[in-house]
Amino acid sequence: DALPYFISEKSIRLFTKHHIFTAAEIHSRYEILMDNYCKMINIEAATMLDMTRKDIIPAVCAYVKELSDGVNAKRAAVADVTCKLEEDLITKLSSLNLCLYRAADTLDDTLLQVKEHSGCVQECGEYYRDSVIPQMQQLRAAADQIEGLMSKKYYPYPTYGDLLFSV
């Protein structure tokens, strides 16, 4: 949001008046900064997709399978035993995992459309800000909910508590 102000007429007058930058230098720096912003968000989004598809979704599937096996084992041992907790957890995790899967697909599609905005760095930056980052936030929201429901044994990444207190 701040980068376009760097090339505003007022900023150009200020920097050129005090011989800090020429107008060409200001525009060049703006393009470099905006290009770096686009590349950084692209790398973060691609990393997020990789972590989601290769680590989180399979971990949730494995945990749901363990819960399901536990329900089946309980029912085999005692036919009328309640398994409400496990069933609710299986339902919530399965639903959130589907949301995560769909959010990953949507983010992937959004990233593929970046090429349509690659002609102008400002347009590309605005696309990342207005389209890619909101999709990343949606994916992150589903992953955060899953993290709170997962067994530590299955979750593929350290929790915030692990990071803060295991130094």
Side-chain angles (χ1 to χ4, degrees):
D1 289 339
L3 283 176
Y5 292 102
F6 188 60
I7 58 171
S8 71
E9 195 58 44
K10 183 178 178 182
S11 294
I12 292 173
R13 277 196 316 271
L14 175 72
F15 287 125
T16 56
K17 176 182 173 184
H18 294 289
H19 305 289
I20 298 170
F21 298 123
T22 65
E25 288 173 326
I26 293 170
H27 284 282
S28 183
R29 286 177 184 264
Y30 166 78
E31 288 191 20
I32 290 168
L33 291 169
M34 189 65 82
D35 189 53
N36 285 341
Y37 169 79
C38 294
K39 287 177 182 175
M40 181 185 67
I41 299 300
N42 193 339
I43 290 168
E44 288 180 6
T47 301
M48 184 180 243
L49 286 171
D50 197 49
M51 293 169 70
T52 298
R53 289 181 171 149
K54 292 181 180 176
D55 298 328
I56 299 173
I57 289 173
V60 174
C61 290
Y63 185 48
V64 166
K65 181 185 181 316
E66 181 179 292
L67 289 170
S68 301
D69 291 345
V71 168
N72 292 334
K74 278 173 111 176
R75 289 207 174 118
V78 180
D80 61 343
V81 71
T82 182
C83 298
K84 184 70 175 144
L85 170 73
E86 293 90 343
E87 290 169 348
D88 286 353
L89 200 49
I90 290 167
T91 302
K92 284 181 187 176
L93 284 170
S94 295
S95 177
L96 286 169
N97 212 23
L98 180 60
C99 289
L100 192 67
Y101 174 79
R102 288 181 177 158
D105 280 350
T106 303
L107 177 57
D108 203 12
D109 292 342
T110 304
L111 283 175
L112 290 174
Q113 294 173 17
V114 167
K115 294 174 187 168
E116 298 171 14
H117 305 278
S118 61
C120 171
V121 289
Q122 183 166 347
E123 187 180 316
C124 188
E126 289 170 354
Y127 181 77
Y128 275 102
R129 180 195 64 203
D130 298 337
S131 300
V132 175
I133 289 177
Q135 291 299 324
M136 291 172 70
Q137 291 169 334
Q138 191 173 27
L139 181 67
R140 174 68 191 264
D144 286 347
Q145 284 184 289
I146 287 171
E147 181 181 0
L149 298 171
M150 288 283 292
S151 166
K152 186 177 181 178
K153 174 181 159 186
Y154 282 91
Y155 202 72
Y157 303 112
T159 63
Y160 291 116
D162 292 338
L163 293 173
L164 289 173
F165 303 113
S166 66
V167 176

